[in-house]
């Protein structure tokens, strides 16, 4: 789901539809690129994830520009100017790469390191036996549900969730 829109990817085409401020719909359709790596097991999964994150960020930015119109264009911060100066046309690629790496690190910390550490601490106090896996799973589920509860309090994110539901209905 995008800001005020949806993205659907099929075997041959990718379509993005975003509601503009004047309530009309901006539609963008592009062919899906075929790659050699899509036929190689394991490589296919990793490359597909990276491609999904990259295109997701690209179309999320596009949807923000379209849905917010002129409100989206604001003066660049010092950091934005520094990034453009240092990386030029590759700035978006660099920022997307850094965001992707940080996202993976955060996910590993939240869903692997933290639950395992908590279970180990609990096990020092109480022998868990075969309940370790269940406790770790409950902690992971609690972190995920808590994250969704916090994020869904934001008005813009609730709207994104509604569009995400529309994607599933489609």
């Amino acid at each position: 789901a995008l800001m005020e829109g949806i993205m659907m990817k099929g075997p041959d085409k990718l379509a993005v539809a975003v509601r503009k401020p004047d309530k009309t719909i901006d539609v963008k359709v592009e062919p899906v690129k075929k790659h050699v790596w899509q036929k190689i097991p394991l490589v296919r999964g990793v490359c597909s994830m990276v491609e999904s994150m990259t295109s997701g960020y690209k179309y999320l930015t596009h949807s923000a520009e379209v849905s917010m119109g002129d409100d989206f264009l604001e003066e660049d911060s010092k950091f934005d100017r520094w990034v453009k100066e240092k990386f030029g046309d590759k700035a978006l690629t660099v920022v997307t790469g850094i965001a992707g790496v940080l996202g993976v690190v955060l996910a590993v910390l939240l869903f692997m390191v933290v639950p395992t550490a908590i279970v180990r601490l609990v096990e020092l106090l109480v022998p868990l036996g075969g309940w370790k896996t269940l406790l770790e799973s409950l902690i992971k589920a609690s972190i995920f549900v808590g994250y969704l509860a916090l994020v869904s309090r934001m008005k813009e994110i609730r709207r994104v969730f509604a569009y995400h539901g529309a994607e599933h209905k489609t």
Side-chain angles (χ1 to χ4, degrees), residues 6-9 15 162-170:
I6 62 170
M7 174 179 72
M8 300 297 291
K9 183 177 178 183
Y163 277 105
H164 186 71
E167 286 176 335
H168 282 279
K169 283 188 172 188
T170 300

Coordinates of all heavy atoms in Angstrom, one line a residue, residues 6-9 15 162-170:
I6 N -2.4 2.5 -4.3 CA -2.0 1.1 -4.2 C -1.0 0.8 -5.3 O -0.9 1.5 -6.3 CB -3.2 0.1 -4.3 CG1 -3.9 0.3 -5.7 CG2 -4.2 0.3 -3.2 CD1 -5.0 -0.7 -6.0
M7 N -0.3 -0.3 -5.2 CA 0.6 -0.8 -6.2 C 0.3 -2.3 -6.3 O 0.3 -3.0 -5.4 CB 2.1 -0.6 -5.7 CG 3.1 -1.3 -6.7 SD 4.8 -1.0 -6.2 CE 4.9 -2.1 -4.8
M8 N 0.1 -2.7 -7.6 CA -0.2 -4.1 -7.8 C 0.9 -4.6 -8.9 O 1.1 -3.9 -9.9 CB -1.6 -4.3 -8.4 CG -2.7 -3.8 -7.5 SD -2.8 -4.7 -5.9 CE -3.3 -6.3 -6.5
K9 N 1.5 -5.7 -8.6 CA 2.5 -6.3 -9.5 C 2.0 -7.6 -10.0 O 1.7 -8.5 -9.2 CB 3.8 -6.4 -8.8 CG 4.9 -6.9 -9.7 CD 6.3 -6.9 -8.9 CE 7.4 -7.4 -9.8 NZ 8.6 -7.5 -9.1
A15 N 1.4 -1.8 -11.7 CA 0.5 -0.7 -11.8 C 0.5 0.0 -10.5 O 0.5 -0.6 -9.4 CB -0.9 -1.1 -12.2
A162 N -5.8 1.0 5.2 CA -7.1 0.9 4.5 C -6.8 0.5 3.0 O -7.4 -0.3 2.4 CB -7.9 2.1 4.6
Y163 N -5.8 1.2 2.4 CA -5.5 0.9 1.0 C -4.9 -0.5 0.9 O -5.1 -1.2 -0.1 CB -4.5 2.0 0.5 CG -5.2 3.2 0.0 CD1 -5.1 4.4 0.7 CD2 -5.9 3.2 -1.2 CE1 -5.8 5.5 0.2 CE2 -6.5 4.4 -1.7 CZ -6.5 5.5 -1.0 OH -7.1 6.6 -1.4
H164 N -4.1 -0.9 1.9 CA -3.5 -2.2 1.9 C -4.6 -3.3 1.9 O -4.5 -4.3 1.2 CB -2.6 -2.4 3.1 CG -1.9 -3.7 3.1 ND1 -0.8 -3.9 2.2 CD2 -2.0 -4.8 3.8 CE1 -0.4 -5.1 2.4 NE2 -1.1 -5.7 3.4
G165 N -5.7 -3.0 2.7 CA -6.8 -3.9 2.6 C -7.5 -4.0 1.2 O -7.9 -5.1 0.8
A166 N -7.5 -2.9 0.6 CA -8.1 -2.8 -0.8 C -7.2 -3.6 -1.8 O -7.7 -4.3 -2.7 CB -8.2 -1.4 -1.3
E167 N -5.9 -3.6 -1.6 CA -5.0 -4.4 -2.4 C -5.3 -5.9 -2.2 O -5.4 -6.6 -3.2 CB -3.5 -4.2 -2.0 CG -3.0 -2.8 -2.5 CD -1.6 -2.6 -2.0 OE1 -1.1 -3.2 -1.0 OE2 -0.9 -1.8 -2.7
H168 N -5.6 -6.3 -1.0 CA -5.9 -7.7 -0.8 C -7.2 -8.1 -1.4 O -7.4 -9.2 -1.9 CB -5.9 -8.0 0.7 CG -4.5 -8.2 1.2 ND1 -3.8 -9.4 1.1 CD2 -3.6 -7.4 1.9 CE1 -2.6 -9.2 1.6 NE2 -2.5 -8.0 2.1
K169 N -8.2 -7.2 -1.3 CA -9.5 -7.5 -1.9 C -9.3 -7.6 -3.5 O -10.0 -8.4 -4.1 CB -10.5 -6.4 -1.6 CG -11.0 -6.5 -0.2 CD -12.2 -5.5 0.0 CE -12.8 -5.8 1.4 NZ -14.0 -5.0 1.5
T170 N -8.5 -6.8 -4.0 CA -8.2 -6.9 -5.5 C -7.6 -8.2 -5.9 O -8.0 -8.8 -6.8 CB -7.3 -5.7 -5.9 OG1 -7.9 -4.5 -5.6 CG2 -7.1 -5.8 -7.4

